[in-house]
Amino acid sequence: SNGIQVYRELNVDGPADITAGVVVSVTEPKITIGDAGAEDTFLVFDGNAQDYRIGLDDGTDKLEIGVGAAHGTTTAMTIDASQQVAIVATTAASSTSTGALTVAANSDIRLTSGTWTGDHAGKIQHHSNSLYIQGGSGTYAIILRDNGGSDRWYVKSDGAF
């Protein structure tokens, strides 16, 4: 081959332009980005019309995936050290506080305990053209709200309305 072959370790301190593919072919391939310093580290996918990034935002200590080449802006998803995943779901005509999350057919969204849901957990599942909602174990297992956030319909834990 006409390229550079590195048999142990290659350290690059500064910019390096690589105009061909990079192959890491060892028993346990690994590429380390960063030096454990207090700084953001990430990969930027430099597109023609739009750039995307994935990397560690050191200011929040989260893995971040987003649009553009700067952490903390136009974030699409983050994962923290407790493996909590935050997805910013948006639609074309809405703000980042609304939107939709799409899941595969015959799968479900599971809800765990938290400040908004109290000690109750539940799940929402679409299966065989039916929508299943499993509520918590409180007085009201399921509460449906209108667009203004007002409670409109209740299903008690024993199934009564």
Side-chain angles (χ1 to χ4, degrees), residues 18 22 31-34 39-47 50-57 63-71:
I18 300 172
V22 175
I31 297 174
T32 301
I33 299 175
E39 69 241 353
D40 293 346
T41 53
F42 51 98
L43 292 172
V44 174
F45 298 90
D46 189 6
Q50 188 61 60
D51 297 340
Y52 293 89
R53 69 180 180 285
I54 180 171
L56 170 64
D57 183 340
L63 179 70
E64 183 178 291
I65 298 173
V67 179
H71 277 319

Side-chain angles (χ1 to χ4, degrees), residues 118-135:
D119 335 356
H120 314 299
K123 78 176 180 179
I124 302 169
Q125 181 182 47
H126 181 264
H127 181 71
S128 300
N129 293 322
S130 295
L131 179 65
Y132 297 86
I133 302 173
Q134 177 181 332

Side-chain angles (χ1 to χ4, degrees), residues 6-8 19 34 37 43-44 74 87 89 98 104-106 121 127 130 132 147 155 157:
V6 179
Y7 293 98
R8 293 196 185 263
T19 58
L43 292 172
V44 174
T74 56
I87 299 172
T98 62
N106 299 322
H127 181 71
S130 295
Y132 297 86
N147 289 340
V155 178
S157 299

